[in-house]
Amino acid sequence: MSGPRILLIVGGGIAAYKACELVRLIRKGGGEVTCVLTEGGAQFVTPMSLAALSENPVHTSLWDLKNEAEIGHIQLSRQADLVVICPATADLLAKMAAGLADDLATTLLLATDKPVLAAPAMNVRMWQHAATQRNVAWLRQAGVRVMEPDEGAMACGEYGPGRLPEPEAIWQEISVLLNAGADPLAGQPEFDAQPEHRPLYGKHVLVTAGPTHEPIDPVRYIANRSSGKQGYAIAAAAAAAGARVTLVSGPVTLATPPGVDRVDVESAREMAQAVNAALPADVAVMVAAVADWRSEDFAAEKIKKRGAEPPSLRLAENPDILATLAASPQRPRLLIGFAAETEDVIANAVRKREVKNVDWIVANDVSPARGKDTMGGDSNTVHLITQAGTENWEPMSKQAVARRLVERIAKALVDG
Ligand code: PMT
């Protein structure tokens, strides 16, 4: 990352002192920081400390006419690559969700056209309050990246989620967002800025992605080549279309798309549990490459090399998460599976749709000739198999597959 520009809004909470450490980390990472200190924030840190650490003037007031003449609050909100709020108090999150602009910080947040990252910090009950959770959900749907607060003992003596994430974790998140590109919704279809006007607003979309790892012993596991890219692209597209998205993810190295609730799992059995816990959902898109088998015996200690004979591995069948969901009383209204096939792609996928009793199957060819581009790669050539027949989609990026599929989902929900 070369010289990203961060606009850092420091809210009014005891955790504000950690913003100083964040400024230091951004500077150390080669970034430039301009700080905006709210009236509350100034109760905890001084403009002088932030100015000294950032080596930039600190902005505190909307009514600073000198700054308005020289910079202007609109320009200040747009000249950064990323806007970071640290700490994001319950009050700041509520004002953002309501679209209020009664001081410099909230005015900048309303005027910015740049991605916004919020690192919340507040009392545990304030964080868990329905109003805060509603505001956070709304902001996530609107594309704001709201981090989960840390859990632990709080300055007020209570215990639970609400502590500011460590500055190192915030800095890591900043790096991920900057490397992901300036606009978290980039490449997504043009949707109305208001989440409630988007086609999947009010719908819960459940997506599975990535491989599963089936442990053999504490250091070895059975896995496959799925990277999670196709499932993550679908989760991102559904969130951009206004849905509440739960992404149940096997072990991958991808960043969580903005507006998506991610649940990390390792094995197929954990994935089955997480899918069940996420219900009810209006739509489920099961993209994960779930291992069909696991090792029947998990060795509590690392299996040693003994003698000439390698150990034999006995396999047990994993639950079929998709088929179980199809038979569940909580079956989503639209249930979509993916099929990775190496031969007779369409015929096998048509059969899978019937056997698993799902509405749509998205079939893709993962034969050695094609598979490297698909599993782990950036593009996909898919066939959408529905009750009406088979549509052959031209080769395209995984993002494009995701966008087209989400458009089809939105249409199917409207058409009933
Ligand atoms: O992750 P990427 O690198 O982007 O690659 C994307 C992909 C190739 C993994 C993806 O596009 C894909 O094809 N996913 C499905 C892979 C697969 O496991 O197919 P399957 O034919 O074995 O399973 C059919 C369906 O049943 C899938 O929806 C799968 O999630 C589901 N399944 C399978 C086994 C099982 N035990 N439980 C399941 O729910």
Side-chain angles (χ1 to χ4, degrees):
M1 216 166 44
S2 66
R5 290 159 303 170
I6 309 294
L7 183 68
L8 179 64
I9 294 175
V10 181
I14 181 71
Y17 76 94
K18 290 192 181 172
C20 297
E21 174 62 4
L22 182 61
V23 173
R24 201 187 62 76
L25 288 173
I26 297 169
R27 299 279 291 137
K28 196 171 149 215
E32 197 187 311
V33 195
T34 302
C35 294
V36 170
L37 189 57
T38 64
E39 199 182 330
Q43 301 295 319
F44 297 93
V45 284
T46 65
M48 185 73 84
S49 327
L50 292 170
L53 287 164
S54 66
E55 296 184 63
N56 263 327
V58 173
H59 303 275
T60 54
S61 169
L62 191 56
W63 312 117
D64 185 336
L65 289 181
K66 181 171 174 291
N67 280 343
E68 193 59 29
E70 281 176 8
I71 306 174
H73 66 271
I74 298 288
Q75 200 189 337
L76 189 58
S77 76
R78 298 195 184 159
Q79 65 191 7
D81 298 306
L82 179 70
V83 181
V84 179
I85 316 162
C86 169
T89 59
D91 179 62
L92 264 176
L93 293 171
K95 283 180 173 158
M96 282 172 77
L100 292 179
D102 62 354
D103 65 1
L104 180 59
T106 48
T107 303
L108 295 176
L109 286 163
L110 201 59
T112 191
D113 59 355
K114 293 299 178 331
V116 178
L117 168 68
M122 64 196 75
N123 166 271
V124 54
R125 289 194 192 283
M126 290 170 78
W127 171 253
Q128 288 171 339
H129 196 285
T132 305
Q133 287 303 309
R134 180 199 57 211
N135 294 334
V136 167
W138 193 94
L139 288 168
R140 284 178 174 159
Q141 287 203 343
V144 175
R145 173 85 185 103
V146 183
M147 294 178 75
E148 282 299 317
D150 278 358
E151 194 167 329
M154 322 203 87
C156 56
E158 291 184 36
Y159 188 94
R163 285 165 59 107
L164 186 77
E166 287 305 321
E168 288 78 11
I170 304 173
W171 168 233
Q172 205 177 351
E173 198 66 29
I174 290 172
S175 310
V176 168
L177 282 180
L178 289 169
N179 288 330
D183 181 357
L185 299 183
Q188 301 295 355
E190 291 284 315
F191 289 124
D192 194 303
Q194 294 292 339
E196 53 267 47
H197 294 164
R198 296 182 191 176
L200 292 181
Y201 182 74
K203 301 287 185 253
H204 180 207
V205 176
L206 169 62
V207 181
T208 65
T212 61
H213 286 182
E214 307 299 326
I216 297 170
D217 69 16
V219 297
R220 301 181 179 96
Y221 55 83
I222 303 168
N224 59 62
R225 296 181 194 280
S226 167
S227 63
K229 286 178 192 171
Q230 184 62 83
Y232 275 57
I234 291 168
R244 173 167 80 83
V245 179
T246 305
L247 173 62
V248 178
S249 173
V252 298
T253 54
L254 302 174
T256 310
V260 168
D261 287 332
R262 170 170 160 182
V263 182
D264 285 322
V265 298
E266 200 174 321
S267 66
R269 286 188 293 178
E270 284 171 14
M271 187 170 274
Q273 269 177 12
V275 163
N276 199 35
L279 297 174
D282 299 282
V283 181
V285 192
M286 313 294 274
V287 196
V290 184
D292 287 314
W293 304 284
R294 64 178 183 276
S295 170
E296 194 163 42
D297 316 296
F298 172 72
E301 305 296 337
K302 184 182 167 196
I303 301 169
K304 293 267 181 276
K305 242 175 137 181
R306 281 198 194 99
E309 282 295 305
S312 57
L313 208 57
R314 287 193 309 151
L315 298 178
E317 196 162 331
N318 270 328
D320 190 315
I321 306 166
L322 181 58
T324 309
L325 194 53
S328 146
Q330 288 190 295
R331 186 192 201 278
R333 197 169 132 201
L334 184 59
L335 182 56
I336 305 170
F338 266 66
E341 301 292 344
T342 56
E343 54 184 349
D344 297 333
V345 176
I346 294 175
N348 280 329
V350 166
R351 207 168 306 125
K352 241 173 220 176
R353 180 179 164 273
E354 281 159 15
V355 170
K356 298 204 183 200
N357 187 26
V358 296
D359 299 305
W360 298 353
I361 282 275
V362 183
N364 45 196
D365 183 348
V366 292
S367 61
R370 268 258 169 76
K372 270 199 217 114
D373 295 339
T374 305
M375 263 195 157
D378 294 322
S379 58
N380 210 347
T381 307
V382 304
H383 313 271
L384 179 65
I385 296 164
T386 67
Q387 198 181 9
T390 300
E391 286 173 28
N392 301 315
W393 292 6
E394 66 279 13
M396 59 183 92
S397 70
K398 287 182 176 173
Q399 280 75 18
V401 169
R403 282 198 293 277
R404 200 186 276 189
L405 189 64
V406 164
E407 280 163 14
R408 293 297 297 270
I409 291 170
K411 188 169 179 317
L413 293 186
V414 171
D415 293 348

